[in-house]
Amino acid sequence: MLNKTVQFFRYPLMMRYSPLMGIKNRNYSLTGNTNVSSDSELDLMRSRLIYQSRKRGILENCIIFTSFADKYLKTFNCDQLQKYDALINSKFDEWDLYAWSIGSKPAPQEFDNDIMKLLKDHVQKRS
């Protein structure tokens, strides 16, 4: 009996298909793509982004992105949410995100948008 139970739980739930999995493999070049069709999908996206904002690789980004997400994500439209998603799930490392948000390094052109400006303003007001 125990052997069958162990086999039942052999494959983790993460191996199943989910639109939230495989974030690093998404194509973020089309941030204007608004295929999110319902409010529930937007709420799910907000929830995922809030979680990802809290669980960053370095403490500095945890503080910056958590306070930013708590303040602004509930008011973002679909396009803004996709831009924020592209920013925090980009191929760049946490130190680059930190440098861009505090303004010590210029952000790449693909992220130099209204979300980055809002993030920089948020960091300047908190310091």
Side-chain angles (χ1 to χ4, degrees):
M1 180 67 182
L2 181 63
N3 193 15
K4 289 182 181 180
T5 305
V6 172
Q7 289 180 350
F8 178 75
F9 291 109
R10 180 186 301 170
Y11 299 105
L13 295 175
M14 290 175 47
M15 292 181 68
R16 295 180 185 168
Y17 173 75
S18 170
L20 299 179
M21 302 308 292
I23 291 167
K24 294 290 183 185
N25 297 328
R26 290 185 184 171
N27 182 4
Y28 290 110
S29 61
L30 304 173
T31 55
N33 185 7
T34 56
N35 290 336
V36 180
S37 61
S38 68
D39 288 339
S40 64
E41 289 179 13
L42 277 177
D43 290 339
L44 183 64
M45 187 177 192
R46 275 190 192 96
S47 298
R48 177 179 56 81
L49 290 173
I50 288 170
Y51 177 80
Q52 290 175 338
S53 297
R54 291 182 180 149
K55 304 297 182 184
R56 304 307 304 171
I58 59 174
L59 180 61
E60 292 85 349
N61 282 353
C62 291
I63 294 168
I64 290 171
F65 287 106
T66 298
S67 62
F68 181 81
D70 288 343
K71 186 173 182 179
Y72 294 108
L73 253 59
K74 57 186 156 222
T75 62
F76 279 2
N77 60 26
C78 182
D79 184 46
Q80 291 172 318
L81 287 172
Q82 288 178 343
K83 287 178 184 177
Y84 184 70
D85 190 5
L87 175 67
I88 67 171
N89 292 307
S90 68
K91 63 183 177 183
F92 297 97
D93 66 4
E94 292 296 316
W95 289 110
D96 288 332
L97 291 174
Y98 178 71
W100 302 338
S101 64
I102 65 170
S104 66
K105 276 176 57 175
Q109 187 176 6
E110 63 188 293
F111 298 122
D112 194 17
N113 53 32
D114 56 336
I115 302 301
M116 182 57 74
K117 183 181 181 311
L118 195 60
L119 180 63
K120 287 180 181 180
D121 290 343
H122 175 73
V123 170
Q124 292 300 321
K125 288 178 185 175
R126 288 189 55 88
S127 58

